[in-house]
Amino acid sequence: MITINLLNRYGAVLVEYAPKENIFKENELPLFYYQILEGSIKMYNFYEDGKEYTQGYFNKGQSFGEPPLLLNKKYPASAIALEKTRIYKLSKNNFMILLEENPEVQFNFLILLAQRVYNKSYISKEIINQKPEIRIRAFLDTCKVTPEKEKISYTRQEIANFTGLRVETVIRTILKMKKNRLLDIINHKIYY
Amino acid sequence: MITINLLNRYGAVLVEYAPKENIFKENELPLFYYQILEGSIKMYNFYEDGKEYTQGYFNKGQSFGEPPLLLNKKYPASAIALEKTRIYKLSKNNFMILLEENPEVQFNFLILLAQRVYNKSYISKEIINQKPEIRIRAFLDTCKVTPEKEKISYTRQEIANFTGLRVETVIRTILKMKKNRLLDIINHKIYY
DNA sequence: CGGTTCCTTGAGGATGATCAACGAGGGTGG
DNA sequence: CCACCCTCGTTGATCATCCTCAAGGAACCG
């Protein structure tokens, strides 16, 4: 989102996170702007009963956790590295200065947040609708990058955490979808 | 959000909508920036089965529908006036020019969208969790403007549409909540 | 005062969650 | 190389819960 050139100019630091290492946790106050150079992370919540809800995945080149940073509010979710991940950290202060001094960057963030609202609206609409198949389709649609059938590299548990369903329900539903030719399952992998 | 002064300067027009009049419909392309002078509107979707899902309510002083406008994408939901409502309409072009020429306005929108993402994250987390009571509490919490008990002026059907539950479930759940002293019901009105 | 709109209740049914158990594959260390 | 462990996928049975359908009552408005 922000060029590496600019990040360096404003004093960003590159930090490496190990797989399963937390970047920040729910209810902490934001101190940094985060942008992924390499790797991927997930934002998630835990319910009291131990169930997990996945808010979203972020990959190479993407930034995350900006809304609480801009609002100066506590993180509403935790962030964890899914693999070895290298992330640029820029202090809140310098981030704000960078925004102020670079209007085109600020505008890019406006568009970025607009896109986030747009996606969230779409997802919440599809997922509140109880039918498991619709929920799962909404998830799969957000995964797709090409129009052709492609391999989905999320586990059934991950799909369950994202859609608010249970693993067993996901398994049974995708089996039904396979029967209806909505997707393929080859060697346990989903192709959609 | 934008001062009336500025709106006028960039050629905004004040339009009056009758109760239940649509401001725009799902899948239309955005042409205007909308800001409410007086009244209130609701953004909503219909599912194939005729069930309605309410994305959100917007009142006096608030703007709505900016994300698709900024992204130049089709509206993912429809907007309807809930009462007699007067709305400033500003053409897309002039809105973009206004943003460019008034950095402080642009920054305000950045904060506004950050707030929207933040709220959506919170709501989707609470509402995906199946328990009706938690869903309803999430809705009621977003309604509250004071810390004391206050009257909730939404119908049970409206709560149902927002939370993805059925009316009967809402009725039964709030009755249980009343028994547990989580809210009061006086003359059918909810106080929370 | 008649018509909406909203609220309420009950019975029955569908469906997703829960619980328990097992299989398959991959990686690791002895 | 093999035994073990861990993660992931799978299946069946049972249960709880919310939805559905149907009906009627209450409140509000012109």
Side-chain angles (χ1 to χ4, degrees):
Chain A
M1 198 59 234
I2 302 183
T3 62
I4 292 173
N5 199 331
L6 267 181
L7 282 170
N8 284 328
R9 186 125 52 85
Y10 284 84
V13 178
L14 190 55
V15 179
E16 183 170 317
Y17 292 87
K20 300 192 188 172
E21 187 177 348
N22 269 103
I23 295 129
F24 53 73
K25 291 200 167 181
E26 197 172 340
N27 290 323
E28 287 178 4
L29 268 177
L31 300 171
F32 301 98
Y33 165 78
Y34 294 98
Q35 183 173 317
I36 301 173
L37 173 64
E38 206 168 31
S40 57
I41 70 112
K42 150 178 103 172
M43 301 220 31
Y44 66 99
N45 294 107
F46 272 116
Y47 297 114
E48 319 71 48
D49 59 7
K51 216 160 70 171
E52 183 183 323
Y53 170 54
T54 302
Q55 291 269 1
Y57 293 94
F58 296 88
N59 304 306
K60 180 173 173 169
Q62 296 187 290
S63 59
F64 58 93
E66 320 89 336
L69 183 68
L70 286 166
L71 299 168
N72 207 27
K73 287 190 176 180
K74 292 191 261 181
Y75 283 117
S78 306
I80 194 171
L82 297 172
E83 51 192 309
K84 197 175 93 171
T85 298
R86 294 197 292 160
I87 301 179
Y88 281 108
K89 287 174 71 169
L90 180 61
S91 76
K92 182 191 157 93
N93 248 342
N94 289 357
F95 175 64
M96 297 312 275
I97 295 171
L98 188 157
L99 280 189
E100 201 180 321
E101 293 179 352
N102 300 270
E104 77 288 358
V105 173
Q106 197 188 115
F107 184 76
N108 286 342
F109 273 104
L110 191 67
I111 300 299
L112 179 76
L113 290 186
Q115 186 69 56
R116 293 264 182 87
V117 175
Y118 194 84
N119 292 343
K120 279 269 175 199
S121 297
Y122 170 73
I123 283 290
S124 62
K125 166 188 152 198
E126 297 298 316
I127 282 187
I128 264 196
N129 184 52
Q130 1 296 99
K131 318 240 183 229
E133 185 176 320
I134 295 186
R135 296 196 191 197
I136 292 173
R137 275 232 290 267
F139 175 78
L140 295 176
D141 284 335
T142 64
C143 290
K144 281 186 80 65
V145 288
T146 67
E148 306 103 54
K149 278 211 172 153
E150 65 188 78
K151 183 171 155 186
I152 305 295
S153 51
Y154 290 100
T155 68
R156 279 127 233 250
Q157 184 63 60
E158 286 169 335
I159 299 176
N161 289 342
F162 191 92
T163 55
L165 299 167
R166 316 259 72 187
V167 199
E168 297 93 332
T169 305
V170 171
I171 287 168
R172 287 169 180 138
T173 305
I174 63 171
L175 254 176
K176 205 167 54 184
M177 292 168 74
K178 175 196 158 94
K179 286 208 185 76
N180 298 339
R181 311 230 162 260
L182 285 166
L183 49 76
D184 294 327
I185 300 177
I186 301 168
N187 197 20
H188 294 183
K189 298 281 171 232
I190 300 168
Y191 292 81
Y192 176 80
Chain B
M1 197 61 232
I2 301 183
T3 63
I4 293 173
N5 199 331
L6 266 181
L7 283 170
N8 284 327
R9 186 126 52 86
Y10 284 84
V13 178
L14 190 55
V15 179
E16 184 170 316
Y17 292 88
K20 301 192 185 172
E21 187 177 348
N22 269 102
I23 295 128
F24 54 73
K25 291 200 166 181
E26 198 172 341
N27 290 324
E28 286 177 6
L29 267 177
L31 301 171
F32 300 99
Y33 165 78
Y34 295 98
Q35 182 173 317
I36 302 173
L37 173 65
E38 206 168 31
S40 57
I41 70 112
K42 149 177 105 171
M43 301 219 32
Y44 67 97
N45 293 108
F46 273 115
Y47 296 115
E48 318 73 48
D49 58 7
K51 215 160 68 170
E52 182 183 323
Y53 170 54
T54 302
Q55 291 269 1
Y57 293 95
F58 295 88
N59 303 305
K60 180 175 172 168
Q62 296 187 290
S63 59
F64 58 92
E66 320 88 338
L69 183 68
L70 286 166
L71 299 168
N72 205 26
K73 287 190 177 181
K74 290 191 261 180
Y75 284 117
S78 306
I80 193 170
L82 297 173
E83 52 191 309
K84 197 176 92 172
T85 299
R86 293 197 292 159
I87 301 179
Y88 281 107
K89 286 175 73 170
L90 179 60
S91 76
K92 182 190 157 94
N93 247 343
N94 289 356
F95 175 64
M96 298 310 275
I97 294 171
L98 188 157
L99 279 190
E100 201 180 322
E101 294 179 351
N102 299 271
E104 77 288 359
V105 173
Q106 196 187 117
F107 185 76
N108 286 342
F109 274 104
L110 191 67
I111 300 299
L112 178 78
L113 290 186
Q115 186 69 56
R116 294 263 181 87
V117 176
Y118 194 84
N119 292 342
K120 279 269 176 201
S121 297
Y122 170 73
I123 284 290
S124 63
K125 166 189 153 197
E126 297 298 317
I127 282 188
I128 263 196
N129 184 53
Q130 3 296 101
K131 318 240 183 228
E133 185 176 322
I134 296 186
R135 296 196 191 195
I136 292 173
R137 275 232 291 269
F139 175 78
L140 294 176
D141 284 336
T142 64
C143 290
K144 281 186 81 63
V145 288
T146 69
E148 307 102 54
K149 277 210 172 153
E150 64 188 79
K151 182 170 155 186
I152 305 295
S153 52
Y154 290 101
T155 69
R156 280 127 234 252
Q157 184 62 60
E158 286 169 334
I159 300 177
N161 289 343
F162 191 91
T163 55
L165 299 167
R166 317 259 72 186
V167 199
E168 298 93 331
T169 305
V170 170
I171 287 168
R172 287 168 181 139
T173 305
I174 64 171
L175 256 176
K176 204 168 56 183
M177 291 168 74
K178 175 195 158 95
K179 287 210 185 74
N180 298 339
R181 311 229 160 263
L182 285 167
L183 49 77
D184 295 327
I185 301 176
I186 302 170
N187 196 20
H188 294 180
K189 298 279 172 235
I190 300 169
Y191 292 81
Y192 177 79

